[in-house]
Amino acid sequence: MSSESPPTVGDVFAKCDNERTQLATAAKQMRLFPYFVEMGSEAGPEVICEGRPVITLGSNNYLGLSADERVKRAAREAVDRFGTGCTGSRLLNGTLTVHVELEEAIREWLDAEACLVFTTGYAVNFGLLSALVGREDRVFLDSGAHASLLDGAQVTAGSVRLFRHNSAATLRRRLAAWSEDATGGSLVAVDSVFSMEGDLCPITEIAAACSEHGARLLVDEAHSMGVLGPEGRGLAAAEGVHPDLLMGTFSKSFASCGGFLVGPQAVIDYLKISCRPFLFTAAGVPAAMAAAREALRVSLDEPWRRETAMARAASLRSGLVELGYDVGPAGSTIISINIDGEWAAGRLWRALLDDGIYVNLAVPPAVPAGRATLRASTIATHTEEHIERALALFEAHRSTSG
Ligand SMILES: Cc1ncc(COP(=O)(O)O)c(C=O)c1O
């Protein structure tokens, strides 16, 4: 049907013109729209944006490996050896030696029984929840869980309960109520580092609540893999916690695209034949798999990368606190800066970009109503001078933040 002959009764397109899309249009007209900002060069401590170099405090390239020559070479060699695509799904025609080698490297690194590589991290969470939580089962999610977990929970055959953000006490109460007359099993899923606020999950208490009530635990280590814990094995490893399942992504520290899950062999074997977002989509392309494999190798050889990324985050955070900004908790490479009101945050975001720093901006529903959060993140290849320059600009624009 062409747009010239709209339906006479209702129109599914009607919702596309709503208060939020109108707000986005107004923000674009005022140069305050902070999304889909075009980057004109490879990801690094600085990037070409709006025609000039800006300091990037708005990436997930925590180890600074996205532009690393060794990682790029590995990707090029994979293209030469395996071609550009996989021609289909892992199940039928897309499993290449690079996938299997990558799975083995991750399995060994995390000392896990088995590993499965997916095309994205989103597909790991969405697929795992949809395949694992059956009619009689229940999944318990932190209210601030990543969209991939919330979306996966929506399509499970079982039931879903949220618990108060980072509250092991609330989780414990929910699990106790459930176990009174449950007939199925329970799965608790948490992010180890929350992507917008950068706060850490109280993983030891969450794991204790799970074992008290016989619940399985999945930890999403998307923002901690490569950065936290011994050998960058994540927050659970840092705290000596052994979750049943652990997922990570290649789109952050590992300078690529894709995701993985580690856990018991039986679960991985089950997912390989039952998890639709794994089965019915194309396999990760050879260049992406090889880049992730090399990034993991480099990260293990060069521990200075995670140490520097964390040290830069500590300097940036303490500098912002000194300037009087309302800054979120320490402990990761992500620093959230709370601003009252979306428009004030948008004006500060624009002023910083005009003067040469790119940060992310999160507005409701990504953060609670009435608030907005500037999200700054540091990477291994930021120098002390980058952080000093950034802080000087935050100081210059202190009054813009309201
Ligand atoms: C906490 C968390 N989990 C999962 C994902 C999904 O990862 P991917 O980018 O590989 O799809 C993200 C990415 O934004 C994330 O922040």
Side-chain angles (χ1 to χ4, degrees), residues 12 48 91 124 172 177 186 210-211 219 226 257 273 329:
V12 290
I48 301 295
L91 179 74
V124 176
R172 216 176 236 114
S186 48
C210 290
S211 52
V219 181
C257 189
I273 51 170

Side-chain angles (χ1 to χ4, degrees), residues 33-250:
F33 189 67
Y35 309 119
F36 306 101
V37 175
E38 206 175 306
M39 305 295 170
S41 60
E42 61 190 13
E46 296 188 26
V47 68
I48 301 295
C49 181
E50 298 184 348
R52 74 234 187 275
V54 302
I55 300 172
T56 33
L57 289 179
S59 83
N60 301 308
N61 180 25
Y62 303 127
L63 299 182
L65 288 172
S66 193
D68 185 273
E69 280 312 320
R70 294 159 294 183
V71 176
K72 291 199 289 190
R73 191 182 324 118
R76 278 194 293 268
E77 284 171 5
V79 170
D80 290 341
R81 186 167 165 210
F82 296 104
T84 50
C86 296
T87 88
S89 73
R90 291 286 309 270
L91 179 74
L92 292 180
N93 32 36
T95 294
L96 303 175
T97 309
V98 266
H99 296 99
V100 178
E101 283 175 357
L102 179 56
E103 284 169 347
E104 181 51 22
I106 296 167
R107 194 201 60 72
E108 204 179 295
W109 168 51
L110 296 176
D111 193 21
E113 212 175 293
C115 174
L116 190 60
V117 160
F118 287 63
T119 311
T120 64
Y122 182 97
V124 176
N125 284 340
F126 188 89
L128 176 70
L129 264 54
S130 58
L132 206 59
V133 182
R135 200 176 300 282
E136 303 292 318
D137 303 329
R138 178 165 289 182
V139 58
F140 296 85
L141 295 181
D142 185 290
S143 59
H146 188 259
S148 50
L149 291 169
L150 294 166
D151 294 355
Q154 289 289 319
V155 299
T156 61
S159 55
V160 185
R161 283 290 176 282
L162 299 183
F163 60 91
R164 192 148 61 78
H165 178 53
N166 273 348
S167 170
T170 317
L171 172 63
R172 216 176 236 114
R173 279 200 300 279
R174 299 250 189 289
L175 286 170
W178 159 253
S179 48
E180 270 170 27
D181 50 12
T183 49
S186 48
L187 174 70
V188 173
V190 290
D191 302 26
S192 60
V193 171
F194 288 84
S195 58
M196 286 297 150
E197 313 282 333
D199 52 337
L200 306 186
C201 163
I203 192 116
T204 304
E205 293 99 271
I206 296 281
C210 290
S211 52
E212 274 161 39
H213 294 282
R216 297 289 187 183
L217 175 62
L218 160 68
V219 181
D220 174 334
E221 299 258 22
H223 293 274
S224 40
M225 281 290 167
V227 179
L228 300 184
E231 293 189 319
R233 281 187 268 125
L235 182 67
E239 304 263 321
V241 167
H242 300 281
D244 300 284
L245 297 163
L246 203 143
M247 75 76 67
T249 166
F250 306 137

